[in-house]
Amino acid sequence: MGDVTNKAETSEEVKPRSVRVVLMALMIAMLLAMLDNMIIGTAMPTIVGELGGLEHLSWVVTAYTLATAASTPIWGKIGDMYGRKGAFLTSIVIFLIGSALSGMAQDMGQLIGFRAVQGLGAGGLMVGVMAIIGDLIPPRERGKYQGMMAGVMALAMIGGPLVGGTITDHMGWRWSFYINLPLGAVALAMVTAVLHLPKKRAKGKIDYLGAALLTLAITSTVLVTTWGGTEYAWGSAEILGLIAVGVLSTAAFLYVETKAAEPVMPLHIFRSRNFTLMSVIGFLVGFAMFGGVLYLPLFQQSVQGASATNSGLLLLPMLLSMMLISLIAGRITTSSGKYKMFPIMGGALMVVGMFLLAQMDTGTSRLTSGVYMAILGAGLGFLMQITMLVAQNSVDMKDMGVASSSATLFRTLGGSFGVALMGSLFTTQVTNTMADRLGPEAAGAAGSAQLDAASLAKLPEAIREAYQYAVAAGTHSAFLLGAGVAVLGFVAAWFVKEVPLKGAGPAAKAPADGDAGAATGDGGPARAHEALAH
């Protein structure tokens, strides 16, 4: 009996230390996935200067995004079926191979292909992080670590452009990819040494047909949002054809999933009201966040005359607010087990923040826009991690991977739609406003310029003022759309049912609303903790 007690005490001592080490490795992997596009964006002009292929420039980003989105659900299912640790380590290795090959690319075609390989690995990084945290830490305790995840996100958004510019200027653009190798090696070593999850071996086979149809649906959707209104007109045959492919492949995917023995995205998880609502809210959060991150620096550079070099720092009010609120919400969730108020508060603040940002014009000061950004950041802070926590709490442990990947996928697709629709609205408004104020010819001449702060200063005053007015009008339209979309998230939040979080103790009883596995007491996190300690 004494031996058992001593073992239990030793286990309790080891657990927190082991969990911290694993979380550190997971945060490094999460940083890899988030930092990559931020760094590469700064290096792109130099890459094009050396490799050429300017007409294929957008595919360097699109190939990565497509591969990431398409592989995300598949990584989640592989982790559920064959074990989380092996799937996660494999995704890191693929990401590092893609990074090394991208750094060695000799032409734009090679770079695009290698970026797709990198994206395949990246699809498993975020899912792996979220699912392993879901395995190791009961939802009631998970709130403690929300601030850490929000901090990594803020670090990536702020530091990415600065790091990318510094690396490109002093070490060459290839190191924008090579920098991933030492970070990834550290994450690999730490995860391999410390993480010991129970091994799995599923009898069923992966749903290859479902995976192929889902990939086709995601690819066509992302291409519609990427090309629509830019490469091709919204009413063009190409875009309409992609929409048709997307609709048909989605319908076929849903049918196949009802028949598959091991569906890549089990439709029964959507029977949970909370999971479905969190998927919708996650989509809307992605819509607002990625749209804001894209158009806020553009407004501050073009209208307020800020330097492009400091584009990451311009988002500090939003990101710091998001990190602080996420940390506070996590602590309250852990101590009280209550969370329904946070999606409601987050939805309300997101609506207010977006609406205030839509009111910015050429006379708005940086202090005022900073306050508006902080309000939006607070709304995102209430929503970012809570959506994942509630989604994971709404499914059985066996579906933790697909729940994490589905939530991640919906947020990614929301970001894709947000950037595309807000971008289309912005571009149309800028073009029309310039034409109204200067006439079509003058507007075209101004629009073809590289209109950063330095280039704007060289333009004639009339053209400069017209362009700044047009950008302000464009951001007004884009953020007004964002506010309208955020209203949907606010409404959806009111329908969330506060199901007790797993790990909350005796109070956590089976839910009454059919939220599958929301408090099953299957001991999954506890067993994972024990495996980790050993």
Side-chain angles (χ1 to χ4, degrees), residues 152 163 193 224 227 294 313 334 341 363 399 428 496 517:
V152 169
V163 171
V224 165
W227 286 347
L294 180 63
L313 297 176
T334 296
M341 58 182 170
D399 291 323
T428 301
V496 173

Side-chain angles (χ1 to χ4, degrees), residues 363-377:
T364 303
S365 68
R366 291 192 192 181
L367 175 61
T368 301
S369 59
V371 171
Y372 295 167
M373 282 191 282
I375 294 172
L376 175 61

Side-chain angles (χ1 to χ4, degrees), residues 205-407:
K205 294 182 179 179
I206 293 177
D207 175 20
Y208 291 108
L209 178 57
L213 288 169
L214 181 59
T215 300
L216 184 60
I218 292 171
T219 300
S220 55
T221 301
V222 172
L223 287 179
V224 165
T225 58
T226 303
W227 286 347
T230 53
E231 296 285 326
Y232 305 100
W234 285 106
S236 65
E238 290 84 356
I239 297 299
L240 293 177
L242 283 170
I243 292 173
V245 170
V247 171
L248 292 173
S249 55
T250 300
F253 167 74
L254 294 175
Y255 175 77
V256 168
E257 294 306 273
T258 63
K259 306 296 182 184
E262 285 287 348
V264 70
M265 186 183 288
L267 300 184
H268 67 77
I269 60 177
F270 292 97
R271 292 176 191 158
S272 162
R273 183 171 77 184
N274 275 3
F275 183 84
T276 302
L277 287 170
M278 288 303 120
S279 298
V280 171
I281 294 172
F283 179 92
L284 301 174
V285 166
F287 192 107
M289 185 179 73
F290 288 103
V293 166
L294 180 63
Y295 291 105
L296 280 169
L298 180 61
F299 175 86
Q300 292 188 305
Q301 290 173 39
S302 299
V303 179
Q304 296 179 328
S307 167
T309 307
N310 299 322
S311 57
L313 297 176
L314 298 174
L315 296 172
L316 263 177
M318 184 177 83
L319 298 172
L320 290 178
S321 173
M322 182 176 71
M323 183 169 63
L324 179 63
I325 294 298
S326 181
L327 181 61
I328 293 171
R331 292 290 179 180
I332 294 174
T333 301
T334 296
S335 62
S336 69
K338 305 293 184 182
Y339 56 82
K340 180 175 179 176
M341 58 182 170
F342 296 132
I344 294 172
M345 293 166 65
L349 286 171
M350 197 162 72
V351 172
V352 172
M354 278 289 186
F355 181 76
L356 289 174
L357 288 170
Q359 308 312 306
M360 295 190 302
D361 56 28
T362 54
T364 303
S365 68
R366 291 192 192 181
L367 175 61
T368 301
S369 59
V371 171
Y372 295 167
M373 282 191 282
I375 294 172
L376 175 61
L380 294 172
F382 279 126
L383 290 165
M384 284 296 295
Q385 304 305 331
I386 288 291
T387 51
M388 179 63 74
L389 186 151
V390 178
Q392 291 179 334
N393 190 61
S394 302
V395 300
D396 291 318
M397 286 298 297
K398 65 183 179 64
D399 291 323
M400 185 65 70
V402 292
S404 303
S405 64
S406 298

Side-chain angles (χ1 to χ4, degrees), residues 32-42 60-61 64-65 115:
L32 282 175
M34 299 196 66
L35 201 59
D36 191 74
N37 267 337
M38 299 286 180
I39 290 179
I40 302 309
T42 315
V60 175
V61 175
Y64 180 90
T65 305
R115 284 282 283 166

